[in-house]
Amino acid sequence: MRLRLVKQGTSFDFFSRWKLWLGISGLLMVVAMVSFFLQGLNYGIDFRGGTTIRTESTQPIDVAQYRAAMEALQLGDITITEVFDPTFPEDQNVAMVRIQAQEGQESVTADVIQRVEAALRAVVPDIKFVSVESVGPKVSGELITTAIIAVILAIGAVLVYIWLRFEWQFALGAVAALVHDVVLTIGIFSELQIKFDLAIIAALLTIVGYSLNDTVVVFDRVRENLRKYKKRPLAEVLNISINETLSRTVMTSVTTLLALIALFVLGGDVIRGFVFAMIWGVIVGTYSSVFVASAILLYLGVKRDWSKPTDTTGNQFANVDA
């Protein structure tokens, strides 16, 4: 007896309320953009410039005590956060101390680091500086520009690929889904004020690839079924295609999420932001492949060209049981 996540021969109607789903997606994107423009992102050291110090001690972290010890140094904006991780032993107390980039300097000098260490050691004698990372303001500005260009080029390359692989209506649907995924991911980071650094940019690019893979599998089956069911309405063909690939979609998403959740719980704080972005991206990417990309295709319509032979490339695993 085989376990099935989706029973065989499903016939869900995904497009009975497709305008509602598009409206919900549009509203969520507006909320994400409003949050971005009002709150902004909690940029990590990669994008803000400055120095991040990771400390460890056997004494419990007292943020107010740490801050009071460093006030006399007059280093400007200082952020102190305690790092919680279930994998840490009871006597391992970790904190992240972030110091803003100093005017006229690319990074905090070694002399300043020694002064910070001395100030903190006065209140926590056994404190250790595990790592010190510095990024200058000029470099951080270049990283922001490079990151934006990377995401835009990735989405642009997808547009060209889908346009050549399918028709322009498919391309616009796929790109709309990718923009939807990226905007909602940036929005959740803005709303929750989770640290946004270069690892999150890597997650965004990975999400683009994951969402595109889901969308291409669905679109391949749609194109095949458009030739198979020549007289059926487009909405019905889309429903048939999504139901036929639903088993594969659910199996891929669930197995990916199982691995990501394990990493989120046990992987430690260093990769937690990246893993959170991936978990969120898998969820919204799966959603957008059905309720955004396909709904846009339904709205735009598609010309049925029967002169081309049926191409099943990318569909050989679409019927895998989940």
Side-chain angles (χ1 to χ4, degrees):
M1 181 177 179
R2 291 186 299 173
L3 173 67
R4 293 181 183 273
L5 298 179
V6 178
K7 68 178 183 179
Q8 197 169 13
T10 58
S11 57
F12 299 116
D13 187 357
F14 293 98
F15 297 99
S16 59
R17 297 183 178 179
W18 64 275
K19 292 182 180 179
L20 174 63
W21 298 121
L22 279 184
I24 292 174
S25 294
L27 178 62
L28 291 175
M29 291 178 68
V30 169
V31 171
M33 288 187 288
V34 169
S35 176
F36 174 76
F37 287 114
L38 291 182
Q39 292 190 111
L41 292 168
N42 179 21
Y43 290 114
I45 200 71
D46 298 332
F47 294 135
R48 294 179 64 183
T51 298
T52 295
I53 303 170
R54 183 183 176 97
T55 71
E56 284 188 12
S57 69
T58 57
Q59 297 183 29
I61 304 296
D62 187 334
V63 173
Q65 188 181 43
Y66 278 41
R67 188 178 299 279
M70 296 181 63
E71 277 183 356
L73 301 179
Q74 297 182 344
L75 297 176
D77 185 22
I78 297 175
T79 303
I80 303 169
T81 55
E82 184 175 359
V83 177
F84 297 95
D85 195 300
T87 62
F88 289 165
E90 291 184 5
D91 62 346
Q92 184 180 8
N93 299 284
V94 179
M96 300 295 287
V97 180
R98 295 182 177 87
I99 305 171
Q100 73 173 37
Q102 304 298 296
E103 187 175 353
Q105 297 179 359
E106 283 297 305
S107 63
V108 175
T109 63
D111 177 61
V112 172
I113 298 297
Q114 291 175 359
R115 289 166 54 201
V116 171
E117 186 173 6
L120 292 177
R121 188 157 286 163
V123 294
V124 186
D126 68 337
I127 196 169
K128 295 185 295 184
F129 281 19
V130 179
S131 65
V132 179
E133 300 176 359
S134 295
V135 177
K138 181 178 179 181
V139 174
S140 63
E142 292 175 351
L143 287 175
I144 292 176
T145 303
T146 304
I148 293 173
I149 292 173
V151 175
I152 292 175
L153 287 179
I155 294 176
V158 168
L159 175 63
V160 174
Y161 167 74
I162 300 294
W163 198 318
L164 296 175
R165 184 78 172 79
F166 299 96
E167 287 78 30
W168 66 269
Q169 295 96 330
F170 289 87
L172 291 183
V175 169
L178 297 184
V179 172
H180 168 274
D181 299 344
V182 171
V183 169
L184 290 192
T185 302
I186 292 175
I188 197 70
F189 272 79
S190 173
E191 289 155 12
L192 300 181
Q193 287 296 289
I194 302 171
K195 186 175 72 171
F196 192 92
D197 52 23
L198 280 178
I200 310 306
I201 297 299
L204 285 175
L205 295 175
T206 307
I207 289 167
V208 167
Y210 182 91
S211 179
L212 174 63
N213 179 63
D214 261 357
T215 303
V216 166
V217 168
V218 173
F219 279 0
D220 260 331
R221 183 52 60 91
V222 169
R223 185 172 59 176
E224 179 183 347
N225 284 335
L226 282 172
R227 299 190 180 102
K228 184 177 180 181
Y229 305 109
K230 299 182 180 181
K231 295 184 179 180
R232 293 195 180 186
L234 179 57
E236 188 176 342
V237 174
L238 287 171
N239 267 322
I240 293 172
S241 303
I242 294 171
N243 276 287
E244 288 178 350
T245 57
L246 188 61
S247 179
R248 176 262 175 208
T249 299
V250 172
M251 183 174 63
T252 303
S253 298
V254 169
T255 52
T256 304
L257 285 173
L258 288 175
L260 290 173
I261 291 171
L263 282 174
F264 185 81
V265 175
L266 303 174
D269 64 286
V270 175
I271 63 170
R272 188 155 290 147
F274 172 83
V275 177
F276 174 80
M278 288 299 302
I279 291 173
W280 177 259
V282 168
I283 294 171
V284 297
T286 303
Y287 166 87
S288 67
S289 296
V290 176
F291 295 104
V292 177
S294 299
I296 293 290
L297 180 60
L298 177 62
Y299 175 76
L300 294 174
V302 60
K303 181 180 178 182
R304 303 190 183 190
D305 182 4
W306 315 124
S307 62
K308 298 178 182 178
T310 300
D311 186 359
T312 58
T313 303
N315 287 313
Q316 59 268 42
F317 303 115
N319 286 324
V320 174
D321 291 330

